[in-house]
Amino acid sequence: MTNVYMPRKAEIVSIIPQTDIDYTFRLKSDILPQHGQFLQVSIPKIGEAPISISDYTDEYIELTIRKVGTVTDAIHELKPGDFLFIRGPYGHGFPVEDFKNKNVVIAAGGTGLAPVKSIINRYNRNPKEIKNLNILVGFKSPKDILFEDEIKKWKEKFDVLLTVDNGDETWTGNTGLITKFIPDLKIENPDDTIVIVVGPPMMMKFTCLEFLKRGIPEKNIWVSFERKMSCSIGKCGHCKINETYVCLEGPVFNYTKSKQLLD
Amino acid sequence: MILDIDTKLLKKNAYRVTKQRGITALRIRVPGGHLNIKYFDIIKEVAEKYGNGTVHITTRQGFEIPGISMEKIDEINELISPIIRGLKDEGVQIEDEEGGYPAAGTRNVSACIGNRVCPFANYDTTALALKIEKLIYPNDYHVKIAVTGCPNDCIKAHMQDIGIIGQVEPIYDPSRCIGCQACVKNCKRRVTGALTFENFKVVRDPNRCISCGECILKCPTSAWTRGEKYYRIVIMGRTGKKNPRLAQTFIEWADEESVLKIIKNMYDFIDKYIDKTLDKEHVGYIVDREGFKKFKEEVLKDVKLPKKAKVANHIDYTGYRYERNTIYD
Amino acid sequence: MGIELDVKSFDNALKILSKKYKIFAPVRLKGKGSFSDTDLVTYGEISSYKDIELSEKSRYSPKEVIYPITQTLFYFTEDEYKEPEIDDKGIIVFLRPCDANSYLKLDNIFLKNGPYEDNYYKRLRDKVKFFVIECTKGFSTCFCVSTGSNKFLDYDVFFRFDNDKITCDVKNDEFSYAFSGKEVEFTPEFIEKNEIEVKLPDIDKISQNLEYVFNHELWDEYTKRCIACGRCTVSCPTCSCFSMQDIFYKDNPKCGERRRVWASCMVDGFTDVAGGHSYRQKYGERMRFKVMHKIYDYKKRFGTTMCVGCGRCDDVCPEYISFIKIVSKVTDAVDRGESK
Ligand SMILES: Cc1cc2nc3c(=O)[nH]c(=O)nc-3n(C[C@H](O)[C@H](O)[C@H](O)COP(=O)(O)OP(=O)(O)OC[C@H]3O[C@@H](n4cnc5c(N)ncnc54)[C@H](O)[C@@H]3O)c2cc1C
Ligand code: SF4
Ligand code: SF4
Ligand code: SF4
Ligand code: SF4
Ligand code: SF4
Ligand code: FES
């Protein structure tokens, strides 16, 4: 009988600090996930945590992990050459095949950028796959900005709008919530535009509403949920909302579905 | 009318001298505070026929029937003989069923409602009260005993010469614990904070635990269950004029057999050390005079305490004396 | 055809079977009830007829037999993951039809929900032989007929316990060797009417009116009444939720284990996520979540009601909250809401 809880060992090749508390861990791995899928990452005797795959190639995967508690604290202590234990990938990612030749808008708040970063990099490598990409990213403050180098790179090819809720003396960029910028966003043909929204629950809710106001059809909007998860394989019940298991049917949901996930 | 009455005998017979000449009041004992309803008819009859139609519920859980003419005592004693017989049937040593109560010095053994009704109670308090009653009654020595189901001490065992408080050893099965922490939170909030949560399991500090058993009640999975029954004995609490004070713990983790034996031995101690020149001497003052060490030696004679039992080395009584005057500006 | 047994021949059968099987049944644990001088009726291993307790409903269900409260998934030595061995004996469970059906409900979660089978569940579940206890009277809070869990025909052996007269129907020939006695006419019976009848809500009607049911005021009173103790879910034979725990041993921090432990959607912490956020903070919302799982969500997913109508949730609630009453209220609300 295969043990579905048995993780495999994955070596940490490099660690890239993004902020004081967010580090990107690059692991040797040949997993080829869907964009938006996640892993269960563990350290024996400490515990497991579900973590989105923030990027991948056929040689490595990247996880961007915020230090918030027992497991993530312990992961932050690790060094290149150490091992993490992983199982997965789990859940359903973004149906990128359906996004081909469309206008794509990605709105990400904070660590919400992690699960969509691999999509952005995919388009960065193959810009022809879609008509046009618009990126909106928001962080709490300048010191919370993740993937600064990559954002710079994206700016060369795409429209990128970076904003912080509150700036500081040195900040010269945009300030304000992402929702502030949606009314003025250039959206040529709403029916032909795919919108991806990922971030904290409140951010997702209001951002989606703004896009609906702009005439984007509900079925064109995609979101990613974060729920407490213990098993990630539909057994433990923690992630359930109504008859939906976020770990199985999600974490990525179409808006037509996600609006029915009452809690 | 000539009234020539031996008040000592009257009192011994559970009647009292009242403020009204020639009028007395009778105290009905209710060991363990639980009475068969059939005796109510008798109490009612006495109150209606001989008393003033009222009955007072005493602090020791008896009934006091006031307004009785002293001349009627014999008649009343005959009337209440079924109650006395009831005691005898329970095993209390009584010779003359028709003569009323044979003694009143040792007071009614009172009890909280106990586990016949109360979910917190760790044992059947009424049953234990009856066992004690059997052991010590009739007796003229002035002794107050009460038994209570758990450390909530609803019967106020801490105001007695001997108070018996139910204990239970909580037994923990970590494999049944789901880590809900209901027990931990409750012990912190309502008891002594003896429980902590470490490594997803509960740890009990036996030195803080007062063995009340609340954790067992709170546990949804029966990870906590009941171990053996034990009793904490608190001694020499009292109200009264001289030096009111709460009783202090003498023994923890005593078993029923030791409890009974210790109570029995206490009567021998009283017998040996009581100041016979006085009209009566309350056991608490005897212990004050003779010292705790002597008391301890005497009452523990031939007592086989369980292994777990802990006996106090010394007791610091607090309480207060009026002459200290410290509470006034 | 059935076989008539007396206590001696029944005990003898148990003895024979115990060589190859661990045998579980409802048992009475003296003095182990929460209150002093009360007993706990629960599932435990038995070796003779007198161990089986049939006069009272068990407080806990037989789910513990195949889904233990605490189950070690891995032992860790340094960085090795080692799966714990299990006993190679089979498992016989004496259970009533409602509880037998509850195993099928657990199967849906552990074996059929999502792409993977839960191997820890499966390895115990595969061993189970159903020794079904005839139950024609039930208890005062049972409503198995309403949930359609009063029958269980897929038994290995079926038993009628009539005082000390025992009749059994051995359906699985594997067990014929253990039972010998007089052959008698025997047709297993199932309860056809409980004291309580509950109308379950129509799930299509709920689907069409989901927000109405979710935001209905009927849930509000439970925010005040429920104490979120989790007893209802712990005693429920169909609740299957768990949390993972990793620990290292105090005396040897290099070693430790990963285990799973039952969890409850009624108890604090069930939905805690990083940042101190949690969902369904009001107990009324948790009540809605639990009740809807039992009578709606699960049925939508698996086509069968999760609740088997054993009534344990009503029996154990310290606040006298009746699940049965809530179900009726939901049905009522749905019917009324729909007619509006
Ligand atoms: C699908 C999914 C994808 C995620 N992707 C990422 C990611 O890419 N990067 C990242 O940094 N974080 C991600 N998270 C969140 C991450 O899983 C939690 O921060 C992590 O589990 C906390 O574990 P801990 O042991 O460090 O903290 P703990 O000590 O367990 O607790 C810290 C806090 O986190 C809560 N928590 C515990 N377990 C979970 C859980 N499984 N999910 C959410 N909160 C939890 C606790 O209740 C507590 O409030 C993701 C979560 C989900 C469900
Ligand atoms: S018995 Fe009472 S004091 Fe002891 S741990 Fe339990 S709740 Fe706390
Ligand atoms: S109440 Fe019971 S299950 Fe909950 S933490 Fe305490 S022992 Fe564990
Ligand atoms: S919800 Fe209640 S009645 Fe239904 S199976 Fe669970 S415990 Fe039994
Ligand atoms: S009712 Fe709650 S505890 Fe029970 S299975 Fe459903 S989610 Fe899990
Ligand atoms: S048993 Fe009763 S009080 Fe406890 S969680 Fe369930 S409904 Fe609420
Ligand atoms: S995380 Fe366990 S069921 Fe979804």
Side-chain angles (χ1 to χ4, degrees):
Chain A
M1 222 179 290
T2 48
N3 188 330
V4 287
Y5 294 95
M6 179 69 86
R8 46 198 183 281
K9 228 173 170 175
E11 189 186 340
I12 300 174
V13 231
S14 63
I15 300 173
I16 310 133
Q18 304 282 346
T19 69
D20 288 350
I21 54 165
D22 302 274
Y23 290 3
T24 294
F25 296 81
R26 184 173 287 184
L27 310 181
K28 205 186 272 176
S29 155
D30 54 5
I31 295 175
L32 287 175
Q34 298 164 20
H35 304 281
Q37 279 192 311
F38 62 97
L39 297 174
Q40 276 285 1
V41 179
S42 64
I43 301 182
K45 304 183 285 275
I46 309 287
E48 275 193 320
I51 301 290
S52 306
I53 297 170
S54 60
D55 221 335
Y56 65 90
T57 67
D58 44 18
E59 277 168 19
Y60 66 81
I61 52 169
E62 276 182 15
L63 309 172
T64 302
I65 302 177
R66 172 163 290 189
K67 190 171 150 140
V68 294
T70 321
V71 179
T72 48
D73 287 358
I75 293 175
H76 271 239
E77 296 296 312
L78 298 178
K79 301 274 164 299
D82 288 344
F83 292 93
L84 271 173
F85 289 81
I86 55 175
R87 58 187 178 92
Y90 293 124
H92 281 88
F94 295 95
V96 281
E97 289 303 313
D98 300 348
F99 302 168
K100 277 191 173 147
N101 303 317
K102 307 241 162 142
N103 299 308
V104 177
V105 181
I106 295 179
T111 41
L113 189 50
V116 291
K117 197 182 74 137
S118 66
I119 304 194
I120 301 178
N121 282 336
R122 173 194 178 105
Y123 295 147
N124 198 31
R125 286 189 293 270
N126 311 300
K128 291 215 174 73
E129 194 180 321
I130 47 167
K131 248 190 222 150
N132 168 40
L133 177 63
N134 231 314
I135 302 167
L136 292 166
V137 269
F139 296 98
K140 273 215 181 80
S141 72
K143 71 168 179 21
D144 297 314
I145 296 175
L146 299 173
F147 311 119
E148 227 168 342
D149 296 344
E150 277 167 285
I151 292 173
K152 260 187 216 135
K153 254 192 341 213
W154 300 336
K155 278 185 172 160
E156 291 163 17
K157 277 187 199 155
F158 310 116
D159 280 339
V160 179
L161 189 141
L162 173 63
T163 173
V164 295
D165 300 354
N166 302 298
D168 55 19
E169 317 79 62
T170 61
W171 182 250
T172 54
N174 298 306
T175 54
L177 303 175
I178 283 183
T179 43
K180 187 175 122 185
F181 300 93
I182 299 171
D184 299 325
L185 209 64
K186 214 170 73 206
I187 297 176
E188 307 249 302
N189 180 358
D191 288 333
D192 208 30
T193 302
I194 298 293
V195 172
I196 295 172
V197 181
V198 190
M202 281 300 140
M203 174 269 174
M204 288 206 283
K205 185 173 163 198
F206 290 107
T207 308
C208 288
L209 289 178
E210 285 301 322
F211 279 112
L212 289 172
K213 275 192 218 157
R214 294 294 313 271
I216 307 283
E218 288 186 351
K219 65 172 176 35
N220 286 15
I221 302 179
W222 295 84
V223 298
S224 177
F225 269 47
E226 250 186 44
R227 277 300 165 126
K228 177 158 175 133
M229 290 183 182
S230 246
C231 72
S232 294
I233 53 172
K235 313 299 175 199
C236 75
H238 283 287
C239 72
K240 192 175 90 61
I241 311 176
N242 310 342
E243 77 273 20
T244 301
Y245 287 77
V246 175
C247 68
L248 298 177
E249 281 88 41
V252 173
F253 291 103
N254 188 265
Y255 189 78
T256 52
K257 171 81 186 172
S258 74
K259 71 170 185 186
Q260 289 173 30
L261 298 178
L262 305 176
D263 212 3
Chain B
M1 189 187 11
I2 301 170
L3 273 176
D4 178 45
I5 287 167
D6 182 339
T7 58
K8 297 217 164 53
L9 285 180
L10 176 105
K11 287 182 200 162
K12 191 172 153 69
N13 203 193
Y15 291 89
R16 80 155 92 204
V17 175
T18 70
K19 64 180 217 190
Q20 203 181 343
R21 243 185 131 66
I23 298 297
T24 181
L26 164 67
R27 281 197 311 279
I28 304 286
R29 292 176 85 88
V30 184
H34 219 95
L35 189 67
N36 192 314
I37 204 72
K38 69 185 177 197
Y39 298 129
F40 271 40
D41 291 341
I42 299 170
I43 295 167
K44 184 172 176 234
E45 198 180 338
V46 175
E48 272 173 359
K49 236 173 159 169
Y50 300 96
N52 59 17
T54 68
V55 67
H56 177 81
I57 297 171
T58 73
T59 50
R60 300 213 61 83
Q61 299 183 318
F63 292 103
E64 184 149 357
I65 310 169
I68 294 169
S69 164
M70 286 181 180
E71 289 178 313
K72 301 291 185 192
I73 287 177
D74 288 345
E75 266 176 57
I76 294 170
N77 281 347
E78 213 179 303
L79 188 59
I80 64 167
S81 62
I83 300 180
I84 308 288
R85 202 171 309 124
L87 281 180
K88 201 172 164 183
D89 293 345
E90 292 287 352
V92 181
Q93 302 280 323
I94 294 173
E95 271 161 36
D96 178 11
E97 292 167 21
E98 314 275 303
Y101 286 101
T106 286
R107 303 298 206 253
N108 185 45
V109 182
S110 43
C112 70
I113 194 156
N115 81 0
R116 295 183 184 184
V117 175
C118 176
F120 294 107
N122 290 320
Y123 68 103
D124 183 343
T125 50
T126 306
L128 182 65
L130 263 169
K131 282 184 193 165
I132 297 172
E133 176 87 348
K134 261 192 296 201
L135 197 69
I136 60 173
Y137 188 75
N139 206 306
D140 294 332
Y141 292 138
H142 191 169
V143 173
K144 295 187 177 108
I145 298 176
V147 304
T148 201
C150 81
N152 275 349
D153 190 10
C154 295
I155 199 63
K156 299 175 185 20
H158 279 87
M159 314 263 263
Q160 319 286 325
D161 302 313
I162 299 269
I164 308 296
I165 300 168
Q167 288 187 281
V168 61
E169 178 163 40
I171 298 177
Y172 181 60
D173 174 356
S175 76
R176 290 195 71 85
C177 174
I178 60 166
C180 69
Q181 298 198 54
C183 58
V184 179
K185 288 181 196 161
N186 182 72
C187 189
K188 196 165 288 160
R189 211 161 35 216
R190 283 175 49 105
V191 197
T192 57
L195 302 177
T196 47
F197 197 62
E198 280 171 29
N199 238 343
F200 301 106
K201 296 292 171 197
V202 181
V203 180
R204 173 173 147 262
D205 176 351
N207 291 321
R208 285 188 101 146
C209 172
I210 56 164
S211 50
C212 63
E214 285 227 12
C215 43
I216 302 165
L217 298 174
K218 288 289 174 286
C219 183
T221 62
S222 301
W224 286 112
T225 55
R226 289 178 182 272
E228 295 287 311
K229 281 180 190 149
Y230 292 98
Y231 305 88
R232 181 149 64 94
I233 307 175
V234 296
I235 58 164
M236 306 307 143
R238 64 193 172 207
T239 52
K241 289 177 179 124
K242 241 180 168 169
N243 169 225
R245 65 192 188 188
L246 288 181
Q248 301 287 321
T249 298
F250 172 37
I251 301 177
E252 274 183 62
W253 308 107
D255 57 359
E256 187 184 287
E257 207 187 319
S258 329
V259 165
L260 296 175
K261 180 83 178 136
I262 286 166
I263 292 173
K264 184 90 191 127
N265 285 348
M266 181 178 71
Y267 279 83
D268 298 340
F269 167 83
I270 297 171
D271 203 46
K272 205 157 155 191
Y273 294 103
I274 194 166
D275 182 346
K276 302 223 162 87
T277 66
L278 299 172
D279 170 28
K280 61 178 182 184
E281 194 181 26
H282 198 263
V283 56
Y285 301 112
I286 307 177
V287 178
D288 287 354
R289 189 178 61 242
E290 300 298 330
F292 171 68
K293 233 182 112 193
K294 210 178 265 176
F295 171 81
K296 179 170 153 180
E297 264 170 37
E298 294 281 341
V299 300
L300 288 181
K301 221 176 256 166
D302 304 325
V303 172
K304 261 187 62 201
L305 287 168
K307 267 209 197 83
K308 271 187 85 66
K310 290 199 279 190
V311 184
N313 275 327
H314 68 279
I315 294 180
D316 283 329
Y317 281 105
T318 48
Y320 61 93
R321 288 171 197 282
Y322 293 93
E323 69 267 24
R324 276 211 183 139
N325 216 11
T326 50
I327 53 173
Y328 305 109
D329 285 335
Chain C
M1 243 356 182
I3 299 169
E4 208 171 86
L5 305 167
D6 56 13
V7 172
K8 223 177 116 203
S9 52
F10 179 84
D11 283 352
N12 194 42
L14 291 190
K15 203 168 154 200
I16 296 170
L17 292 170
S18 67
K19 295 204 173 75
K20 275 170 67 184
Y21 293 93
K22 284 181 156 189
I23 308 170
F24 296 88
V27 297
R28 175 177 293 273
L29 302 179
K30 272 257 163 266
K32 289 294 174 185
S34 300
F35 306 130
S36 60
D37 294 337
T38 63
D39 302 337
L40 174 64
V41 177
T42 185
Y43 266 75
E45 272 193 73
I46 59 151
S47 58
S48 73
Y49 174 73
K50 64 170 188 348
D51 297 340
I52 306 178
E53 176 59 58
L54 296 171
S55 67
E56 242 178 77
K57 193 191 299 174
S58 66
R59 171 170 179 171
Y60 302 109
S61 81
K63 80 177 168 190
E64 304 178 12
V65 172
I66 50 169
Y67 173 44
I69 298 178
T70 304
Q71 193 168 22
T72 300
L73 304 186
F74 299 107
Y75 288 109
F76 300 126
T77 49
E78 301 286 340
D79 267 357
E80 290 295 317
Y81 281 67
K82 204 172 149 289
E83 193 181 321
E85 313 266 318
I86 52 165
D87 205 288
D88 37 66
K89 276 192 174 175
I91 295 173
I92 286 172
V93 197
F94 281 90
L95 30 52
R96 293 170 200 271
C98 57
D99 286 343
N101 277 301
S102 77
Y103 276 25
L104 308 185
K105 310 287 178 184
L106 294 175
D107 288 352
N108 277 332
I109 299 289
F110 286 111
L111 305 178
K112 297 180 192 144
N113 200 33
Y116 306 106
E117 287 185 336
D118 186 296
N119 49 295
Y120 291 95
Y121 177 81
K122 190 172 163 57
R123 65 183 196 173
L124 288 174
R125 177 64 178 83
D126 281 350
K127 293 164 172 279
V128 169
K129 303 295 175 193
F130 291 93
F131 280 29
V132 171
I133 302 166
E134 185 173 78
C135 181
T136 51
K137 290 203 189 72
F139 301 95
S140 68
T141 53
C142 299
F143 58 104
C144 56
V145 178
S146 303
T147 58
S149 308
N150 53 324
K151 293 201 169 77
F152 190 87
L153 297 169
D154 221 2
Y155 53 82
D156 293 278
V157 188
F158 187 95
F159 290 87
R160 173 177 297 162
F161 294 102
D162 184 7
N163 291 315
D164 289 350
K165 202 176 100 194
I166 303 157
T167 323
C168 67
D169 173 29
V170 184
K171 199 178 239 182
N172 183 346
D173 292 339
E174 218 183 283
F175 294 105
S176 311
Y177 78 100
F179 298 96
S180 54
K182 195 171 99 202
E183 288 212 353
V184 289
E185 210 44 60
F186 180 50
T187 319
E189 281 176 33
F190 299 98
I191 190 165
E192 295 296 345
K193 195 169 165 28
N194 303 116
E195 257 174 63
I196 295 171
E197 213 173 305
V198 198
K199 188 176 166 217
L200 301 181
D202 181 314
I203 68 156
D204 292 331
K205 284 187 198 167
I206 297 185
S207 298
Q208 285 149 22
N209 265 314
L210 201 58
E211 282 195 50
Y212 164 75
V213 179
F214 265 61
N215 300 322
H216 201 283
E217 63 190 21
L218 79 89
W219 306 112
D220 297 345
E221 75 172 273
Y222 303 103
T223 295
K224 292 201 198 90
R225 286 179 63 195
C226 172
I227 57 167
C229 69
R231 279 171 179 73
C232 49
T233 56
V234 165
S235 285
C236 177
T238 65
C239 274
S240 53
C241 293
F242 63 84
S243 297
M244 304 272 238
Q245 298 173 348
D246 270 38
I247 56 134
F248 51 83
Y249 302 132
K250 265 192 186 159
D251 44 357
N252 181 6
K254 281 192 175 146
C255 297
E257 61 184 85
R258 175 165 302 159
R259 57 198 179 202
R260 67 164 164 215
V261 179
W262 290 2
S264 164
C265 63
M266 298 304 288
V267 171
D268 287 356
F270 191 74
T271 61
D272 284 5
V273 291
H277 189 65
S278 70
Y279 302 86
R280 303 188 295 274
Q281 281 168 1
K282 286 195 194 134
Y283 297 166
E285 295 168 343
R286 295 186 198 174
M287 187 63 77
R288 185 207 70 219
F289 185 80
K290 175 190 78 180
V291 173
M292 292 299 269
H293 194 200
K294 296 294 161 193
I295 60 173
Y296 171 73
D297 304 345
Y298 181 98
K299 185 159 186 187
K300 258 201 116 177
R301 247 185 125 78
F302 304 107
T304 158
T305 303
M306 187 180 204
C307 169
V308 294
C310 71
R312 286 189 179 90
C313 47
D314 274 37
D315 298 336
V316 299
C317 179
E319 301 301 316
Y320 281 76
I321 291 168
S322 167
F323 170 79
I324 300 168
K325 183 84 182 280
I326 301 175
V327 173
S328 317
K329 283 188 194 169
V330 174
T331 306
D332 252 24
V334 173
D335 289 347
R336 260 185 290 119
E338 211 232 5
S339 66
K340 252 190 244 153

